[in-house]
Amino acid sequence: MALLEFVLILLLHAEAGVSGGIIDLYNKPGDEVVLPCDIKPSSSSCSNVHWFYSRDERRAAEEEVKEGNVDENSARAARLSVNSNCSLVINNITDEDVGHYICGYWKSFDSDSYVFLNILTVSPSPPDADLQKDEVTLTCSLWRYSNINPCKQSSFRWLDDEGTELQDESVDFYVRQTNCVSNLTVKHQRDDNRRFTCQFVEGNSVKIEAHYTPDSTGSQNPEIQQTIIIIIMWTLRITGLILLIGITVVVIRGGRKKQLKDSKVSKN
């Protein structure tokens, strides 16, 4: 019953909101993130620390860390750990890690620490598009706890490889933003290695940015790739034939020299 009461109190805190002790973290997929437990421990160890996680308000909070130890039954147990500061460490984060985290000490509900983990991603559509021939849409998404107000219209910025902001009225680019997603349509480009940057801005401050550079190797014409493969194969065959001829000549010459030497020996 004590654990149930603890969970209910944490949920009430999350629904009512708090005025302090809130931390927003912004990261990208694959990062290692440290979620600080911004309260003083009741002892020198983390034996009394508990970490709870909620992806959105429709799901019940899950206890990921109990008395300083990661719950081995958690689907993320292999990527979770608790450091000496009682902070929760998550390795190789994905959008599945986005959400609301609460760190608290047993029977100390008034001093809980609240952490919101946000992740920014940039992905092309279609994934294998050729910028030299196709029109590509880059999607920049900020994944975050769903119980937060939607992003403002000016929350995203798109920059080119020179750091120049791309505007809606640009002929070659079109930006469309809904909630926490912004799309950039990139039309035919001569340079398929051009880099684009998506920034998430809040309060005139860039919280995080993600880059996208098209893979030039993946956009190569299939006929050209096939021609290159054929040339390489023929080059290997010719090289092998030359080596075989060279070895044969050496063997023949060596045999002739041996015959001449044997004949001289027999005459003597």
Side-chain angles (χ1 to χ4, degrees), residues 26 29 43 75 101 208 243 248 266:
Y26 296 88
S43 64
Y101 293 80
I208 189 172
L243 289 174
T248 303
S266 60

Side-chain angles (χ1 to χ4, degrees), residues 23-132:
I23 300 173
D24 275 298
L25 297 180
Y26 296 88
N27 291 85
K28 289 177 289 186
D31 289 349
E32 177 184 277
V33 62
V34 179
L35 282 62
C37 192
D38 194 22
I39 51 179
K40 295 181 180 180
S42 57
S43 64
S44 58
S45 67
C46 300
S47 59
N48 292 328
V49 71
H50 294 255
W51 274 99
F52 286 82
Y53 163 71
S54 175
R55 184 172 179 82
D56 55 58
E57 74 278 7
R58 295 167 296 180
R59 303 182 186 182
E62 301 176 6
E63 189 176 20
E64 298 281 5
V65 174
K66 181 178 180 181
E67 297 179 352
N69 297 312
V70 175
D71 182 5
E72 296 299 329
N73 294 323
S74 171
R76 305 182 298 165
R79 297 190 293 113
L80 302 180
S81 61
V82 177
N83 65 15
S84 58
N85 295 324
C86 306
S87 300
L88 180 63
V89 182
I90 309 177
N91 293 312
N92 192 25
I93 62 172
T94 69
D95 55 14
E96 292 297 324
D97 299 315
V98 168
H100 180 197
Y101 293 80
I102 304 173
C103 171
Y105 289 89
W106 193 250
K107 297 181 181 180
S108 299
F109 309 122
D110 58 340
S111 59
D112 298 327
S113 178
Y114 298 81
V115 183
F116 289 90
L117 177 59
N118 310 273
I119 295 180
L120 188 71
T121 62
V122 175
S123 58
S125 180
D128 57 348
D130 184 350
L131 281 183
Q132 292 183 342

Side-chain angles (χ1 to χ4, degrees), residues 112-158:
D112 298 327
S113 178
Y114 298 81
V115 183
F116 289 90
L117 177 59
N118 310 273
I119 295 180
L120 188 71
T121 62
V122 175
S123 58
S125 180
D128 57 348
D130 184 350
L131 281 183
Q132 292 183 342
K133 295 184 177 180
D134 305 328
E135 181 177 274
V136 181
T137 297
L138 301 181
T139 299
C140 184
S141 304
L142 181 72
W143 300 85
R144 61 181 189 171
Y145 185 63
S146 62
N147 198 27
I148 302 178
N149 294 330
C151 298
K152 297 180 180 179
Q153 185 66 24
S154 58
S155 296
F156 289 95
R157 292 178 188 166
W158 284 96

Side-chain angles (χ1 to χ4, degrees), residues 121-127 129 131 135-141 156 158-160 166 173-177 181-187 189 194-198 210-215:
T121 62
V122 175
S123 58
S125 180
L131 281 183
E135 181 177 274
V136 181
T137 297
L138 301 181
T139 299
C140 184
S141 304
F156 289 95
W158 284 96
L159 310 176
D160 61 16
L166 305 175
F173 304 96
Y174 170 70
V175 177
R176 177 175 61 84
Q177 178 175 303
V181 177
S182 179
N183 294 328
L184 170 67
T185 299
V186 183
K187 297 185 178 180
Q189 300 290 312
R194 188 174 183 182
R195 189 177 79 165
F196 300 92
T197 300
C198 174
H211 309 290
Y212 173 77
T213 302
D215 184 4

